[in-house]
Amino acid sequence: MPTPGSPLRVAVIGWGNFFEHIHEQTLRDLIDEGRVRLQAVCVRSPDTRGAITARCPAVYDTADAERVLADPEVDAILIGAPQSVQARYALAAVAAGKYVYVEKPLFAEAADTGREPAAFHADFAALEPAATRLCAVGLNKRFAPAYVELRERCREEWGGVRHMQLTVVDDAWRWGARYPDGFLLWLDLCHWLDLARWFTGAEVERISCLEPQPNDAQVSLVMSDGAVVSILLSGNGTMDMCKEELRVITAGQRCATVTDFVEMEVFGGSAPEVRNWPANRQTGGDEQTARKIDAGGLTAFRAVRRAVFDRFSATRQDDPAGDEQVRRNIPNFMRPQGWNASVRAFVAAASAGEGLQQAASYHDAYVAYRLLDTVRASIAADGRFVMVPPAD
């Protein structure tokens, strides 16, 4: 724990493309604010370490994760390394008494990690209460401002969620061409399985999953309190289409829709109600584009999506990834979906020596992994409902 009034001493293990694009700006902002000191950068490639520390100066850089984990000058560790080592490094950090923010999924197949997920889970459990107090998993949508507000209103004002519908349509064919068919289900579904539990406050009892084509899935969840959650997940969309829409129907005949984290529309009140949230500025995007979204809400964001898609279509033949303007303004990265807030909340708790109240725990990540196993079982059973096995 840092000295009161001193910046939190942070190390980063694994600084790949995702960490650079999603978390680097937040980390740089926290450094500029005097809330964080970058103690160490741990990346295998010397050239990559040099490029990172040129942008974010650190006390030292290294390829040795064990050095970072044993460093008494490190208060907290951000793990952006691949899933094959996430659990091992997170466990070592907790055992050393350090706060740790680890990217999802945390738990992965034994073929990737060398150990069964249940064995890692047992190791975390053996470190209680420190494991829950110190370890946050990057299931960041729990921190999206629109979702935080909607969840509170569902619980406190409207009698709780009875039906939640999530529509998630991504252009994964564009950025995920190197992955095998079906990767989106295993890469991203953990987010919405976690949201189902977080929104309802209930556990998942049984699951059905249908796959009409590769990287398309219709998942139905029946919760322990009788609520129903429907998830449509597709990787066959395009950038001009809003990616994520959440609809809730509550026990109090109040309903709401959140579209792309930018707009929430509430139905059933005494007057129409629409709330808007500003664009996310931690993951790139031209300031002029962000200001358009701030001023015009969802209508403006849809126009931005269309403009970026048109630009991508025009440049795709010369550059399949899109030109620099497209890469800098990918609409999905401009939505306020909790990345910035989750890291800031982690730093605030670690700086104060407090528990991580809102973050997904290692156990939440393990539950999400086990639910994915049940999804696999339903697919193998031609989409029939499959009961979720009891917890280990």
Side-chain angles (χ1 to χ4, degrees), residues 247-275:
R247 292 184 176 217
V248 295
I249 300 171
T250 68
Q253 287 78 51
R254 298 298 297 276
C255 307
T257 300
V258 175
T259 305
D260 260 350
F261 305 94
V262 170
E263 179 184 280
M264 178 168 72
E265 188 171 7
V266 177
F267 303 91
S270 58
E273 182 181 348
V274 177
R275 288 269 283 112

Side-chain angles (χ1 to χ4, degrees), residues 123-135:
D123 287 346
F124 276 107
L127 294 174
E128 286 292 10
T132 297
R133 182 172 175 272
L134 299 177
C135 182

Side-chain angles (χ1 to χ4, degrees), residues 365-389:
Y366 183 63
V367 171
Y369 173 82
R370 288 177 57 84
L371 294 176
L372 280 172
D373 260 355
T374 307
V375 168
R376 290 186 179 99
S378 176
I379 292 171
D382 296 324
R384 289 193 292 274
F385 272 100
V386 175
M387 298 298 295
V388 176

Side-chain angles (χ1 to χ4, degrees), residues 121-347:
H121 182 261
D123 287 346
F124 276 107
L127 294 174
E128 286 292 10
T132 297
R133 182 172 175 272
L134 299 177
C135 182
V137 182
L139 292 165
N140 56 278
K141 295 177 192 290
R142 290 176 174 226
F143 289 84
Y147 286 3
V148 170
E149 179 173 321
L150 178 57
R151 177 179 181 260
E152 181 178 352
R153 296 181 73 174
C154 287
R155 290 187 167 204
E156 302 298 326
E157 303 174 28
W158 302 341
V161 173
R162 304 314 300 150
H163 187 190
M164 182 166 76
Q165 183 182 64
L166 280 155
T167 301
V168 188
V169 182
D170 194 9
D171 57 338
W173 56 268
R174 175 184 59 82
W175 54 264
R178 63 189 176 91
Y179 294 110
D181 282 346
F183 75 92
L184 191 64
L185 197 65
W186 317 126
L187 185 68
D188 269 8
L189 186 58
C190 58
H191 275 301
W192 297 287
L193 294 173
D194 181 66
L195 277 181
R197 297 175 61 239
W198 183 70
F199 256 96
T200 63
E203 297 299 328
V204 183
E205 286 195 340
R206 58 189 188 273
I207 298 177
S208 164
C209 181
L210 295 166
E211 285 190 304
Q213 65 176 338
N215 290 323
D216 271 5
Q218 173 62 54
V219 185
S220 299
L221 313 177
V222 178
M223 310 302 293
S224 58
D225 66 350
V228 172
V229 178
S230 304
I231 305 169
L232 186 157
L233 175 62
S234 174
N236 294 299
T238 51
M239 272 188 284
D240 57 329
M241 182 177 183
C242 286
K243 176 182 176 181
E244 188 164 336
E245 183 175 74
L246 182 153
R247 292 184 176 217
V248 295
I249 300 171
T250 68
Q253 287 78 51
R254 298 298 297 276
C255 307
T257 300
V258 175
T259 305
D260 260 350
F261 305 94
V262 170
E263 179 184 280
M264 178 168 72
E265 188 171 7
V266 177
F267 303 91
S270 58
E273 182 181 348
V274 177
R275 288 269 283 112
N276 289 286
W277 282 266
N280 178 45
R281 287 170 166 78
Q282 272 64 47
T283 55
D286 294 330
E287 186 63 26
Q288 182 179 6
T289 303
R291 286 199 298 268
K292 288 180 181 177
I293 297 169
D294 294 351
L298 184 59
T299 298
F301 189 49
R302 289 183 185 275
V304 168
R305 280 193 170 280
R306 184 70 221 186
V308 175
F309 176 72
D310 287 344
R311 178 83 183 196
F312 169 71
S313 300
T315 62
R316 184 179 177 189
Q317 184 171 353
D318 295 328
D319 186 348
D323 66 2
E324 177 58 30
Q325 182 176 338
V326 170
R327 290 191 293 272
R328 194 172 60 249
N329 290 284
I330 297 294
N332 288 346
F333 294 145
M334 302 184 74
R335 306 173 306 158
Q337 55 184 304
W339 287 314
N340 178 42
S342 64
V343 172
R344 285 184 169 273
F346 170 79
V347 168

